[in-house]
Amino acid sequence: MDTPTLRSPQHRVSRTAVWYWAARAALGWLVLLAAQVAWLVADSDGSALPVTAHVAGLVVTAVVAVAHVTVMPQWRYRVHRWEATSAAVFTQSGWFKQEWRIAPVSRIQTVDSERGPLEQIFRLANVTVTTASAAGPIKVSGLDRDTAQRLVAELTATAQATAGDAT
């Protein structure tokens, strides 16, 4: 068996992941904007800050939020990739801080799939491959549910058929 080398994985995550990442980011920004609006209403007499400062803060937050919700998901989609071969699992992830990982199949200890509430709405799932690596598990995020199920089954079968004790 050839030794796996670090390279860009072949498969992109689901295109739906773009909408999921945008929605998740938007929810975070909405919480911040709601807090700013609440502060503006509570301080309507201007005792803490002038109303114009509150409004300026809201405008800046809204502009940054729109930029983040628009750019980040597209950028992540262009970066996030994965691939599973008979020899290894390859991942590439991140957007500002990017990471490339390889997990040889012989080191796989567990393969798990999970979906949070928002991911369930978007019919997405994540696959986590735990290995004997000190770097921690490899996570493939943003897969459509069917692809994630196939990947879990494939990796489980491949790991069981591979000689070694995953250490």
Side-chain angles (χ1 to χ4, degrees):
M1 184 181 302
D2 293 331
T3 303
T5 57
L6 193 60
R7 60 182 172 75
S8 287
Q10 186 177 31
H11 307 291
R12 288 189 187 268
V13 298
S14 170
R15 188 77 179 130
T16 307
V18 172
W19 294 104
Y20 164 73
W21 289 323
R24 195 174 79 182
L27 288 172
W29 285 107
L30 286 174
V31 168
L32 180 59
L33 286 165
Q36 287 181 298
V37 168
W39 186 21
L40 172 64
V41 170
D43 188 37
S44 59
D45 64 351
S47 59
L49 279 177
V51 172
T52 54
H54 281 294
V55 172
L58 276 168
V59 168
V60 168
T61 300
V63 167
V64 172
V66 167
H68 180 243
V69 169
T70 303
V71 172
M72 177 274 296
Q74 296 295 330
W75 192 337
R76 285 183 72 176
Y77 180 74
R78 285 181 179 88
V79 172
H80 282 229
R81 293 179 180 272
W82 67 277
E83 183 178 354
T85 68
S86 61
V89 178
F90 301 82
T91 63
Q92 179 178 323
S93 62
W95 65 296
F96 275 132
K97 178 185 174 203
Q98 295 180 12
E99 177 180 63
W100 288 261
R101 300 273 309 271
I102 300 174
V105 169
S106 63
R107 305 277 312 249
I108 293 176
Q109 294 177 328
T110 63
V111 182
D112 303 301
S113 178
E114 59 100 10
R115 297 175 293 146
L118 193 56
E119 289 159 323
Q120 289 180 45
I121 291 169
F122 285 93
R123 300 185 50 80
L124 296 173
N126 304 308
V127 173
T128 302
V129 179
T130 305
T131 67
S133 169
I138 288 182
K139 191 167 186 176
V140 183
S141 301
L143 297 177
D144 70 75
R145 212 179 320 184
D146 294 337
T147 301
Q149 288 174 344
R150 280 193 307 273
L151 180 59
V152 167
E154 177 186 321
L155 288 175
T156 301
T158 304
Q160 287 176 342
T162 301
D165 62 358
T167 59

